[in-house]
Amino acid sequence: NAGVTQTPKFQVLKTGQSMTLQCAQDMNHNSMYWYRQDPGMGLRLIYYSASEGTTDKGEVPNGYNVSRLNKREFSLRLESAAPSQTSVYFCASSEFLGTGGGGANVLTFGAGSRLTVL
Amino acid sequence: AQRVTQPEKLLSVFKGAPVELKCNYSYSGSPELFWYVQYSRQRLQLLLRHISRESIKGFTADLNKGETSFHLKKPFAQEEDSAMYYCALETYSGNTPLVFGKGTRLSVIA
């Protein structure tokens, strides 16, 4: 059981180049997410997909696009990379665990992708 | 809007000393609160969630609705507890994604 798999692990881009971060999960989760992690800023949500066929903006969506290709895969695309997008990117998926009539999503994270934009 | 505040960027304690990582939230409804942890060179992972009322690796966290806090505590810190800790909030319905705090790096000194 691989869980959440992200590729690539590391990438160096020049300003203006484009690239796609790939994410796949094998846990049959409905919801998937892309976060970025920056020192002193914590984890900030870029985009999420509550179910196959839907995507929604998070806190910091500018400069990014996403595609929920199917239930397993959720990709993040940088069309024209900027130095401000240098970060560690985490993909996650979640299952809704309910107790006593309520519940919440518990996230499983990928290993992260370290992106440097020069 | 929901918000999570972790006031300390870095917390250093000696091995065997008590640890308290602070987390305050703002949300008018019934929150679901979590602590996630990232050990060096490992993935972010769930440490505990308040509704489970469990103790994981000696850590506990109590939801205080009056003070809107969910502080993480451990009576005796171990070196292996050194990590980045994130407090996170979700609305009770689970319809909105988790909101994370900025994180606290815990360093346990031998």
Side-chain angles (χ1 to χ4, degrees), chain A residues 2 4 33 35 37 40-43 45 48 90 96-97 99-107 109-111, chain B residues 9 32 34 36 38 43-46 49 51 84 86 90-103:
Chain A
V4 178
Y33 312 82
Y35 287 90
Q37 182 186 47
M41 301 299 291
L43 285 163
L45 182 66
Y48 69 102
F90 287 97
F96 188 82
L97 296 180
T99 54
N105 286 292
V106 176
L107 271 62
F109 283 87
Chain B
K9 286 186 180 179
E32 281 279 351
F34 306 80
Y36 281 80
Q38 187 177 28
R43 301 181 183 213
L44 267 156
Q45 57 188 284
L46 177 68
R49 53 186 295 208
I51 202 167
M84 192 73 173
Y86 291 98
E90 189 176 46
T91 60
Y92 192 65
S93 65
N95 289 332
T96 55
L98 280 182
V99 174
F100 285 86
K102 293 186 177 181

mmCIF file of all heavy atoms in Angstrom, chain A residues 2 4 33 35 37 40-43 45 48 90 96-97 99-107 109-111, chain B residues 9 32 34 36 38 43-46 49 51 84 86 90-103:
data_model
loop_
_atom_site.group_PDB
_atom_site.id
_atom_site.type_symbol
_atom_site.label_atom_id
_atom_site.label_comp_id
_atom_site.label_asym_id
_atom_site.label_seq_id
_atom_site.Cartn_x
_atom_site.Cartn_y
_atom_site.Cartn_z
ATOM 1 N N ALA A 2 0.942 1.959 -1.164
ATOM 2 C CA ALA A 2 1.877 3.066 -1.294
ATOM 3 C C ALA A 2 1.356 4.327 -0.631
ATOM 4 O O ALA A 2 2.125 5.206 -0.301
ATOM 5 C CB ALA A 2 2.172 3.326 -2.763
ATOM 6 N N VAL A 4 0.133 7.923 -0.629
ATOM 7 C CA VAL A 4 0.153 9.073 -1.529
ATOM 8 C C VAL A 4 1.554 9.190 -2.121
ATOM 9 O O VAL A 4 2.532 9.281 -1.378
ATOM 10 C CB VAL A 4 -0.223 10.364 -0.786
ATOM 11 C CG1 VAL A 4 -0.147 11.558 -1.747
ATOM 12 C CG2 VAL A 4 -1.612 10.247 -0.174
ATOM 13 N N TYR A 33 -5.691 17.228 -2.048
ATOM 14 C CA TYR A 33 -5.272 18.590 -1.730
ATOM 15 C C TYR A 33 -3.843 18.843 -2.206
ATOM 16 O O TYR A 33 -3.031 17.911 -2.269
ATOM 17 C CB TYR A 33 -5.288 18.808 -0.210
ATOM 18 C CG TYR A 33 -6.526 18.343 0.493
ATOM 19 C CD1 TYR A 33 -6.688 17.007 0.839
ATOM 20 C CD2 TYR A 33 -7.541 19.235 0.824
ATOM 21 C CE1 TYR A 33 -7.831 16.571 1.494
ATOM 22 C CE2 TYR A 33 -8.681 18.812 1.489
ATOM 23 C CZ TYR A 33 -8.813 17.482 1.811
ATOM 24 O OH TYR A 33 -9.944 17.051 2.461
ATOM 25 N N TYR A 35 -0.840 21.498 -0.905
ATOM 26 C CA TYR A 35 -0.381 22.514 0.029
ATOM 27 C C TYR A 35 1.037 22.919 -0.351
ATOM 28 O O TYR A 35 1.797 22.144 -0.919
ATOM 29 C CB TYR A 35 -0.337 21.968 1.462
ATOM 30 C CG TYR A 35 -1.671 21.773 2.130
ATOM 31 C CD1 TYR A 35 -2.358 20.559 2.028
ATOM 32 C CD2 TYR A 35 -2.248 22.789 2.890
ATOM 33 C CE1 TYR A 35 -3.569 20.368 2.664
ATOM 34 C CE2 TYR A 35 -3.469 22.608 3.530
ATOM 35 C CZ TYR A 35 -4.116 21.400 3.409
ATOM 36 O OH TYR A 35 -5.321 21.219 4.045
ATOM 37 N N GLN A 37 4.537 24.508 1.674
ATOM 38 C CA GLN A 37 5.108 24.709 3.002
ATOM 39 C C GLN A 37 6.293 25.644 2.880
ATOM 40 O O GLN A 37 7.261 25.352 2.179
ATOM 41 C CB GLN A 37 5.555 23.367 3.597
ATOM 42 C CG GLN A 37 6.116 23.458 5.000
ATOM 43 C CD GLN A 37 6.663 22.120 5.479
ATOM 44 O OE1 GLN A 37 7.390 21.441 4.764
ATOM 45 N NE2 GLN A 37 6.305 21.736 6.697
ATOM 46 N N GLY A 40 8.142 29.687 8.353
ATOM 47 C CA GLY A 40 7.422 30.761 9.020
ATOM 48 C C GLY A 40 5.999 30.968 8.542
ATOM 49 O O GLY A 40 5.267 31.773 9.110
ATOM 50 N N MET A 41 5.614 30.255 7.485
ATOM 51 C CA MET A 41 4.260 30.421 6.934
ATOM 52 C C MET A 41 3.402 29.181 7.144
ATOM 53 O O MET A 41 2.197 29.205 6.915
ATOM 54 C CB MET A 41 4.331 30.730 5.435
ATOM 55 C CG MET A 41 5.112 31.979 5.093
ATOM 56 S SD MET A 41 4.362 33.449 5.832
ATOM 57 C CE MET A 41 2.859 33.556 4.891
ATOM 58 N N GLY A 42 4.016 28.109 7.560
ATOM 59 C CA GLY A 42 3.256 26.888 7.775
ATOM 60 C C GLY A 42 2.798 26.260 6.474
ATOM 61 O O GLY A 42 3.435 26.419 5.426
ATOM 62 N N LEU A 43 1.687 25.568 6.537
ATOM 63 C CA LEU A 43 1.099 24.908 5.375
ATOM 64 C C LEU A 43 -0.049 25.767 4.853
ATOM 65 O O LEU A 43 -0.960 26.089 5.594
ATOM 66 C CB LEU A 43 0.543 23.544 5.772
ATOM 67 C CG LEU A 43 1.558 22.441 6.009
ATOM 68 C CD1 LEU A 43 0.922 21.312 6.781
ATOM 69 C CD2 LEU A 43 2.097 21.929 4.690
ATOM 70 N N LEU A 45 -2.978 26.091 1.801
ATOM 71 C CA LEU A 45 -3.703 25.330 0.796
ATOM 72 C C LEU A 45 -3.705 26.066 -0.532
ATOM 73 O O LEU A 45 -4.062 27.238 -0.608
ATOM 74 C CB LEU A 45 -5.140 25.093 1.271
ATOM 75 C CG LEU A 45 -6.027 24.266 0.366
ATOM 76 C CD1 LEU A 45 -5.529 22.824 0.288
ATOM 77 C CD2 LEU A 45 -7.464 24.290 0.878
ATOM 78 N N TYR A 48 -7.874 22.323 -3.812
ATOM 79 C CA TYR A 48 -8.325 21.027 -3.361
ATOM 80 C C TYR A 48 -9.429 20.510 -4.274
ATOM 81 O O TYR A 48 -10.009 21.265 -5.067
ATOM 82 C CB TYR A 48 -8.775 21.052 -1.900
ATOM 83 C CG TYR A 48 -10.037 21.830 -1.619
ATOM 84 C CD1 TYR A 48 -11.257 21.202 -1.419
ATOM 85 C CD2 TYR A 48 -9.995 23.226 -1.497
ATOM 86 C CE1 TYR A 48 -12.405 21.919 -1.133
ATOM 87 C CE2 TYR A 48 -11.126 23.952 -1.206
ATOM 88 C CZ TYR A 48 -12.327 23.293 -1.016
ATOM 89 O OH TYR A 48 -13.455 24.022 -0.742
ATOM 90 N N PHE A 90 3.224 19.746 -0.945
ATOM 91 C CA PHE A 90 2.690 18.495 -0.421
ATOM 92 C C PHE A 90 1.327 18.219 -1.016
ATOM 93 O O PHE A 90 0.457 19.083 -1.030
ATOM 94 C CB PHE A 90 2.560 18.552 1.101
ATOM 95 C CG PHE A 90 3.861 18.490 1.828
ATOM 96 C CD1 PHE A 90 4.474 19.653 2.256
ATOM 97 C CD2 PHE A 90 4.468 17.274 2.078
ATOM 98 C CE1 PHE A 90 5.683 19.614 2.922
ATOM 99 C CE2 PHE A 90 5.685 17.223 2.744
ATOM 100 C CZ PHE A 90 6.296 18.387 3.168
ATOM 101 N N PHE A 96 -13.123 10.697 5.246
ATOM 102 C CA PHE A 96 -13.976 11.317 6.240
ATOM 103 C C PHE A 96 -14.278 10.283 7.318
ATOM 104 O O PHE A 96 -14.878 9.247 7.041
ATOM 105 C CB PHE A 96 -15.260 11.812 5.595
ATOM 106 C CG PHE A 96 -16.118 12.631 6.521
ATOM 107 C CD1 PHE A 96 -15.848 13.970 6.730
ATOM 108 C CD2 PHE A 96 -17.190 12.060 7.177
ATOM 109 C CE1 PHE A 96 -16.614 14.733 7.579
ATOM 110 C CE2 PHE A 96 -17.977 12.811 8.029
ATOM 111 C CZ PHE A 96 -17.692 14.154 8.235
ATOM 112 N N LEU A 97 -13.834 10.559 8.533
ATOM 113 C CA LEU A 97 -14.075 9.654 9.642
ATOM 114 C C LEU A 97 -15.135 10.276 10.530
ATOM 115 O O LEU A 97 -14.928 11.354 11.084
ATOM 116 C CB LEU A 97 -12.783 9.416 10.430
ATOM 117 C CG LEU A 97 -11.664 8.728 9.660
ATOM 118 C CD1 LEU A 97 -10.447 8.544 10.560
ATOM 119 C CD2 LEU A 97 -12.121 7.389 9.117
ATOM 120 N N THR A 99 -17.856 10.202 13.756
ATOM 121 C CA THR A 99 -18.159 9.615 15.059
ATOM 122 C C THR A 99 -19.365 10.338 15.640
ATOM 123 O O THR A 99 -19.395 11.566 15.647
ATOM 124 C CB THR A 99 -16.985 9.767 16.045
ATOM 125 O OG1 THR A 99 -16.608 11.130 16.123
ATOM 126 C CG2 THR A 99 -15.799 8.929 15.618
ATOM 127 N N GLY A 100 -20.329 9.601 16.121
ATOM 128 C CA GLY A 100 -21.480 10.169 16.814
ATOM 129 C C GLY A 100 -22.229 11.216 16.037
ATOM 130 O O GLY A 100 -22.658 12.222 16.591
ATOM 131 N N GLY A 101 -22.373 11.038 14.744
ATOM 132 C CA GLY A 101 -23.148 11.979 13.943
ATOM 133 C C GLY A 101 -22.327 13.092 13.335
ATOM 134 O O GLY A 101 -22.816 13.835 12.493
ATOM 135 N N GLY A 102 -21.088 13.231 13.753
ATOM 136 C CA GLY A 102 -20.228 14.249 13.148
ATOM 137 C C GLY A 102 -18.993 13.596 12.589
ATOM 138 O O GLY A 102 -18.961 12.392 12.383
ATOM 139 N N GLY A 103 -17.974 14.377 12.316
ATOM 140 C CA GLY A 103 -16.738 13.807 11.805
ATOM 141 C C GLY A 103 -15.893 14.833 11.129
ATOM 142 O O GLY A 103 -16.229 16.028 11.088
ATOM 143 N N ALA A 104 -14.788 14.382 10.586
ATOM 144 C CA ALA A 104 -13.872 15.287 9.901
ATOM 145 C C ALA A 104 -12.954 14.468 9.012
ATOM 146 O O ALA A 104 -12.899 13.240 9.094
ATOM 147 C CB ALA A 104 -13.066 16.092 10.908
ATOM 148 N N ASN A 105 -12.262 15.202 8.144
ATOM 149 C CA ASN A 105 -11.330 14.563 7.227
ATOM 150 C C ASN A 105 -9.976 14.363 7.886
ATOM 151 O O ASN A 105 -9.408 15.295 8.450
ATOM 152 C CB ASN A 105 -11.157 15.436 5.984
ATOM 153 C CG ASN A 105 -12.373 15.374 5.095
ATOM 154 O OD1 ASN A 105 -12.661 14.346 4.503
ATOM 155 N ND2 ASN A 105 -13.096 16.477 5.010
ATOM 156 N N VAL A 106 -9.448 13.154 7.783
ATOM 157 C CA VAL A 106 -8.103 12.859 8.260
ATOM 158 C C VAL A 106 -7.196 12.749 7.047
ATOM 159 O O VAL A 106 -7.435 11.924 6.155
ATOM 160 C CB VAL A 106 -8.080 11.552 9.079
ATOM 161 C CG1 VAL A 106 -6.652 11.223 9.484
ATOM 162 C CG2 VAL A 106 -8.967 11.699 10.306
ATOM 163 N N LEU A 107 -6.145 13.560 7.007
ATOM 164 C CA LEU A 107 -5.291 13.647 5.837
ATOM 165 C C LEU A 107 -4.120 12.676 5.890
ATOM 166 O O LEU A 107 -3.514 12.478 6.947
ATOM 167 C CB LEU A 107 -4.719 15.066 5.704
ATOM 168 C CG LEU A 107 -5.534 16.068 4.902
ATOM 169 C CD1 LEU A 107 -6.902 16.310 5.522
ATOM 170 C CD2 LEU A 107 -4.773 17.368 4.737
ATOM 171 N N PHE A 109 -0.509 12.385 3.864
ATOM 172 C CA PHE A 109 0.337 13.235 3.042
ATOM 173 C C PHE A 109 1.321 12.434 2.205
ATOM 174 O O PHE A 109 1.760 11.340 2.589
ATOM 175 C CB PHE A 109 1.139 14.189 3.926
ATOM 176 C CG PHE A 109 0.338 15.355 4.449
ATOM 177 C CD1 PHE A 109 -0.374 15.241 5.622
ATOM 178 C CD2 PHE A 109 0.312 16.548 3.747
ATOM 179 C CE1 PHE A 109 -1.121 16.306 6.101
ATOM 180 C CE2 PHE A 109 -0.428 17.627 4.216
ATOM 181 C CZ PHE A 109 -1.148 17.500 5.397
ATOM 182 N N GLY A 110 1.709 13.025 1.074
ATOM 183 C CA GLY A 110 2.826 12.530 0.312
ATOM 184 C C GLY A 110 4.134 12.981 0.930
ATOM 185 O O GLY A 110 4.148 13.713 1.918
ATOM 186 N N ALA A 111 5.232 12.549 0.315
ATOM 187 C CA ALA A 111 6.564 12.828 0.870
ATOM 188 C C ALA A 111 7.035 14.245 0.572
ATOM 189 O O ALA A 111 8.010 14.708 1.154
ATOM 190 C CB ALA A 111 7.571 11.823 0.330
ATOM 191 N N LYS B 9 7.218 29.908 17.322
ATOM 192 C CA LYS B 9 7.846 29.278 16.154
ATOM 193 C C LYS B 9 8.761 28.163 16.592
ATOM 194 O O LYS B 9 8.902 27.141 15.932
ATOM 195 C CB LYS B 9 8.642 30.309 15.362
ATOM 196 C CG LYS B 9 7.811 31.278 14.559
ATOM 197 C CD LYS B 9 8.706 32.152 13.700
ATOM 198 C CE LYS B 9 7.891 33.121 12.885
ATOM 199 N NZ LYS B 9 8.725 34.001 12.064
ATOM 200 N N GLU B 32 -13.463 20.671 14.757
ATOM 201 C CA GLU B 32 -12.677 19.441 14.846
ATOM 202 C C GLU B 32 -11.227 19.882 14.846
ATOM 203 O O GLU B 32 -10.808 20.622 13.969
ATOM 204 C CB GLU B 32 -12.932 18.537 13.624
ATOM 205 C CG GLU B 32 -14.210 17.744 13.688
ATOM 206 C CD GLU B 32 -14.085 16.490 14.544
ATOM 207 O OE1 GLU B 32 -12.960 16.146 14.954
ATOM 208 O OE2 GLU B 32 -15.125 15.866 14.806
ATOM 209 N N PHE B 34 -6.976 19.005 15.344
ATOM 210 C CA PHE B 34 -5.965 17.984 15.117
ATOM 211 C C PHE B 34 -4.581 18.525 15.452
ATOM 212 O O PHE B 34 -4.335 19.729 15.371
ATOM 213 C CB PHE B 34 -5.941 17.572 13.628
ATOM 214 C CG PHE B 34 -7.255 17.132 13.066
ATOM 215 C CD1 PHE B 34 -8.207 18.062 12.666
ATOM 216 C CD2 PHE B 34 -7.538 15.789 12.909
ATOM 217 C CE1 PHE B 34 -9.417 17.660 12.128
ATOM 218 C CE2 PHE B 34 -8.743 15.383 12.362
ATOM 219 C CZ PHE B 34 -9.682 16.318 11.978
ATOM 220 N N TYR B 36 -0.860 17.561 13.811
ATOM 221 C CA TYR B 36 -0.062 16.814 12.851
ATOM 222 C C TYR B 36 1.409 17.042 13.194
ATOM 223 O O TYR B 36 1.794 18.109 13.696
ATOM 224 C CB TYR B 36 -0.328 17.275 11.414
ATOM 225 C CG TYR B 36 -1.597 16.714 10.818
ATOM 226 C CD1 TYR B 36 -2.842 17.267 11.123
ATOM 227 C CD2 TYR B 36 -1.559 15.627 9.947
ATOM 228 C CE1 TYR B 36 -4.013 16.749 10.584
ATOM 229 C CE2 TYR B 36 -2.726 15.102 9.403
ATOM 230 C CZ TYR B 36 -3.943 15.670 9.721
ATOM 231 O OH TYR B 36 -5.093 15.143 9.186
ATOM 232 N N GLN B 38 5.633 16.426 11.900
ATOM 233 C CA GLN B 38 6.586 16.099 10.827
ATOM 234 C C GLN B 38 7.956 15.900 11.450
ATOM 235 O O GLN B 38 8.615 16.870 11.847
ATOM 236 C CB GLN B 38 6.623 17.208 9.784
ATOM 237 C CG GLN B 38 7.451 16.863 8.556
ATOM 238 C CD GLN B 38 7.404 17.968 7.512
ATOM 239 O OE1 GLN B 38 7.219 19.135 7.817
ATOM 240 N NE2 GLN B 38 7.586 17.586 6.249
ATOM 241 N N ARG B 43 7.287 12.063 6.497
ATOM 242 C CA ARG B 43 6.084 12.749 6.017
ATOM 243 C C ARG B 43 5.295 13.351 7.174
ATOM 244 O O ARG B 43 5.368 12.878 8.310
ATOM 245 C CB ARG B 43 5.165 11.745 5.304
ATOM 246 C CG ARG B 43 5.803 11.067 4.157
ATOM 247 C CD ARG B 43 4.848 10.105 3.486
ATOM 248 N NE ARG B 43 5.536 9.396 2.411
ATOM 249 C CZ ARG B 43 4.966 8.989 1.293
ATOM 250 N NH1 ARG B 43 3.678 9.205 1.107
ATOM 251 N NH2 ARG B 43 5.662 8.363 0.368
ATOM 252 N N LEU B 44 4.551 14.376 6.864
ATOM 253 C CA LEU B 44 3.564 14.866 7.815
ATOM 254 C C LEU B 44 2.589 13.741 8.128
ATOM 255 O O LEU B 44 2.136 13.016 7.240
ATOM 256 C CB LEU B 44 2.780 16.001 7.171
ATOM 257 C CG LEU B 44 3.281 17.408 7.415
ATOM 258 C CD1 LEU B 44 2.828 18.312 6.306
ATOM 259 C CD2 LEU B 44 2.787 17.899 8.765
ATOM 260 N N GLN B 45 2.273 13.616 9.399
ATOM 261 C CA GLN B 45 1.349 12.551 9.778
ATOM 262 C C GLN B 45 0.481 13.024 10.940
ATOM 263 O O GLN B 45 0.874 13.886 11.715
ATOM 264 C CB GLN B 45 2.109 11.286 10.172
ATOM 265 C CG GLN B 45 3.102 11.495 11.296
ATOM 266 C CD GLN B 45 3.968 10.281 11.531
ATOM 267 O OE1 GLN B 45 3.510 9.304 12.106
ATOM 268 N NE2 GLN B 45 5.199 10.340 11.062
ATOM 269 N N LEU B 46 -0.687 12.421 11.023
ATOM 270 C CA LEU B 46 -1.586 12.759 12.106
ATOM 271 C C LEU B 46 -1.022 12.260 13.430
ATOM 272 O O LEU B 46 -0.609 11.101 13.539
ATOM 273 C CB LEU B 46 -2.950 12.113 11.859
ATOM 274 C CG LEU B 46 -4.002 12.319 12.940
ATOM 275 C CD1 LEU B 46 -4.434 13.783 12.990
ATOM 276 C CD2 LEU B 46 -5.201 11.412 12.692
ATOM 277 N N ARG B 49 -6.309 13.567 17.238
ATOM 278 C CA ARG B 49 -7.455 14.427 17.002
ATOM 279 C C ARG B 49 -8.275 14.464 18.285
ATOM 280 O O ARG B 49 -8.320 13.476 19.021
ATOM 281 C CB ARG B 49 -8.302 13.925 15.833
ATOM 282 C CG ARG B 49 -8.737 12.492 15.917
ATOM 283 C CD ARG B 49 -9.441 12.020 14.665
ATOM 284 N NE ARG B 49 -10.699 12.685 14.421
ATOM 285 C CZ ARG B 49 -11.719 12.161 13.766
ATOM 286 N NH1 ARG B 49 -11.617 10.944 13.271
ATOM 287 N NH2 ARG B 49 -12.822 12.842 13.549
ATOM 288 N N ILE B 51 -11.390 14.512 19.087
ATOM 289 C CA ILE B 51 -12.601 13.737 19.302
ATOM 290 C C ILE B 51 -12.265 12.314 19.746
ATOM 291 O O ILE B 51 -13.085 11.632 20.356
ATOM 292 C CB ILE B 51 -13.476 13.751 18.045
ATOM 293 C CG1 ILE B 51 -14.922 13.425 18.401
ATOM 294 C CG2 ILE B 51 -12.923 12.803 16.973
ATOM 295 C CD1 ILE B 51 -15.897 13.722 17.297
ATOM 296 N N MET B 84 8.500 19.112 13.880
ATOM 297 C CA MET B 84 7.638 20.258 13.596
ATOM 298 C C MET B 84 6.215 19.835 13.885
ATOM 299 O O MET B 84 5.769 18.782 13.398
ATOM 300 C CB MET B 84 7.792 20.661 12.125
ATOM 301 C CG MET B 84 7.185 21.983 11.777
ATOM 302 S SD MET B 84 8.179 23.320 12.440
ATOM 303 C CE MET B 84 7.342 24.715 11.689
ATOM 304 N N TYR B 86 2.113 20.858 13.866
ATOM 305 C CA TYR B 86 1.095 21.730 13.307
ATOM 306 C C TYR B 86 -0.258 21.441 13.947
ATOM 307 O O TYR B 86 -0.692 20.287 14.003
ATOM 308 C CB TYR B 86 0.946 21.513 11.791
ATOM 309 C CG TYR B 86 2.106 21.982 10.971
ATOM 310 C CD1 TYR B 86 3.092 21.086 10.551
ATOM 311 C CD2 TYR B 86 2.230 23.316 10.590
ATOM 312 C CE1 TYR B 86 4.154 21.510 9.776
ATOM 313 C CE2 TYR B 86 3.297 23.742 9.820
ATOM 314 C CZ TYR B 86 4.253 22.835 9.419
ATOM 315 O OH TYR B 86 5.304 23.270 8.655
ATOM 316 N N GLU B 90 -10.797 21.942 11.462
ATOM 317 C CA GLU B 90 -11.787 21.729 10.417
ATOM 318 C C GLU B 90 -13.161 21.995 11.005
ATOM 319 O O GLU B 90 -13.397 21.729 12.170
ATOM 320 C CB GLU B 90 -11.728 20.305 9.869
ATOM 321 C CG GLU B 90 -12.597 20.100 8.636
ATOM 322 C CD GLU B 90 -12.453 18.715 8.051
ATOM 323 O OE1 GLU B 90 -12.483 17.748 8.827
ATOM 324 O OE2 GLU B 90 -12.330 18.600 6.822
ATOM 325 N N THR B 91 -14.054 22.514 10.168
ATOM 326 C CA THR B 91 -15.419 22.720 10.634
ATOM 327 C C THR B 91 -16.073 21.375 10.894
ATOM 328 O O THR B 91 -15.711 20.352 10.307
ATOM 329 C CB THR B 91 -16.258 23.489 9.603
ATOM 330 O OG1 THR B 91 -16.292 22.731 8.393
ATOM 331 C CG2 THR B 91 -15.658 24.855 9.351
ATOM 332 N N TYR B 92 -17.041 21.342 11.761
ATOM 333 C CA TYR B 92 -17.624 20.091 12.225
ATOM 334 C C TYR B 92 -18.236 19.288 11.096
ATOM 335 O O TYR B 92 -18.234 18.072 11.115
ATOM 336 C CB TYR B 92 -18.677 20.393 13.289
ATOM 337 C CG TYR B 92 -19.135 19.172 14.043
ATOM 338 C CD1 TYR B 92 -18.261 18.471 14.851
ATOM 339 C CD2 TYR B 92 -20.441 18.718 13.939
ATOM 340 C CE1 TYR B 92 -18.671 17.353 15.551
ATOM 341 C CE2 TYR B 92 -20.863 17.602 14.633
ATOM 342 C CZ TYR B 92 -19.978 16.924 15.439
ATOM 343 O OH TYR B 92 -20.385 15.816 16.122
ATOM 344 N N SER B 93 -18.706 19.997 10.078
ATOM 345 C CA SER B 93 -19.355 19.286 8.988
ATOM 346 C C SER B 93 -18.363 18.595 8.067
ATOM 347 O O SER B 93 -18.735 17.712 7.306
ATOM 348 C CB SER B 93 -20.185 20.260 8.152
ATOM 349 O OG SER B 93 -19.321 21.201 7.532
ATOM 350 N N GLY B 94 -17.111 19.009 8.137
ATOM 351 C CA GLY B 94 -16.114 18.405 7.269
ATOM 352 C C GLY B 94 -16.203 18.837 5.833
ATOM 353 O O GLY B 94 -15.595 18.215 4.962
ATOM 354 N N ASN B 95 -16.935 19.913 5.548
ATOM 355 C CA ASN B 95 -17.099 20.345 4.170
ATOM 356 C C ASN B 95 -16.022 21.297 3.698
ATOM 357 O O ASN B 95 -15.971 21.633 2.521
ATOM 358 C CB ASN B 95 -18.462 21.031 4.002
ATOM 359 C CG ASN B 95 -19.594 20.030 4.076
ATOM 360 O OD1 ASN B 95 -19.421 18.874 3.739
ATOM 361 N ND2 ASN B 95 -20.746 20.492 4.522
ATOM 362 N N THR B 96 -15.200 21.765 4.586
ATOM 363 C CA THR B 96 -14.126 22.676 4.180
ATOM 364 C C THR B 96 -12.791 22.064 4.563
ATOM 365 O O THR B 96 -12.695 21.329 5.543
ATOM 366 C CB THR B 96 -14.271 24.047 4.855
ATOM 367 O OG1 THR B 96 -14.325 23.859 6.266
ATOM 368 C CG2 THR B 96 -15.522 24.752 4.391
ATOM 369 N N PRO B 97 -11.756 22.368 3.775
ATOM 370 C CA PRO B 97 -10.458 21.758 4.063
ATOM 371 C C PRO B 97 -9.888 22.222 5.392
ATOM 372 O O PRO B 97 -10.268 23.258 5.925
ATOM 373 C CB PRO B 97 -9.581 22.239 2.905
ATOM 374 C CG PRO B 97 -10.516 22.692 1.867
ATOM 375 C CD PRO B 97 -11.717 23.191 2.567
ATOM 376 N N LEU B 98 -8.928 21.455 5.873
ATOM 377 C CA LEU B 98 -8.225 21.818 7.092
ATOM 378 C C LEU B 98 -7.528 23.164 6.957
ATOM 379 O O LEU B 98 -6.963 23.481 5.914
ATOM 380 C CB LEU B 98 -7.156 20.774 7.414
ATOM 381 C CG LEU B 98 -7.572 19.473 8.086
ATOM 382 C CD1 LEU B 98 -6.332 18.636 8.353
ATOM 383 C CD2 LEU B 98 -8.300 19.753 9.376
ATOM 384 N N VAL B 99 -7.560 23.921 8.043
ATOM 385 C CA VAL B 99 -6.759 25.141 8.142
ATOM 386 C C VAL B 99 -5.645 24.846 9.136
ATOM 387 O O VAL B 99 -5.905 24.419 10.264
ATOM 388 C CB VAL B 99 -7.606 26.322 8.634
ATOM 389 C CG1 VAL B 99 -6.723 27.543 8.858
ATOM 390 C CG2 VAL B 99 -8.701 26.636 7.616
ATOM 391 N N PHE B 100 -4.415 25.067 8.708
ATOM 392 C CA PHE B 100 -3.263 24.779 9.562
ATOM 393 C C PHE B 100 -2.720 26.043 10.201
ATOM 394 O O PHE B 100 -2.779 27.139 9.626
ATOM 395 C CB PHE B 100 -2.142 24.133 8.735
ATOM 396 C CG PHE B 100 -2.380 22.701 8.379
ATOM 397 C CD1 PHE B 100 -3.102 22.368 7.244
ATOM 398 C CD2 PHE B 100 -1.878 21.682 9.168
ATOM 399 C CE1 PHE B 100 -3.322 21.041 6.900
ATOM 400 C CE2 PHE B 100 -2.094 20.356 8.839
ATOM 401 C CZ PHE B 100 -2.825 20.032 7.709
ATOM 402 N N GLY B 101 -2.161 25.886 11.396
ATOM 403 C CA GLY B 101 -1.361 26.947 11.971
ATOM 404 C C GLY B 101 0.002 26.991 11.310
ATOM 405 O O GLY B 101 0.306 26.170 10.441
ATOM 406 N N LYS B 102 0.825 27.942 11.724
ATOM 407 C CA LYS B 102 2.131 28.106 11.090
ATOM 408 C C LYS B 102 3.173 27.132 11.614
ATOM 409 O O LYS B 102 4.281 27.059 11.087
ATOM 410 C CB LYS B 102 2.610 29.550 11.255
ATOM 411 C CG LYS B 102 1.740 30.535 10.486
ATOM 412 C CD LYS B 102 2.290 31.935 10.530
ATOM 413 C CE LYS B 102 1.401 32.833 9.669
ATOM 414 N NZ LYS B 102 1.877 34.234 9.639
ATOM 415 N N GLY B 103 2.827 26.389 12.635
ATOM 416 C CA GLY B 103 3.727 25.364 13.116
ATOM 417 C C GLY B 103 4.648 25.821 14.229
ATOM 418 O O GLY B 103 5.003 26.998 14.336
#
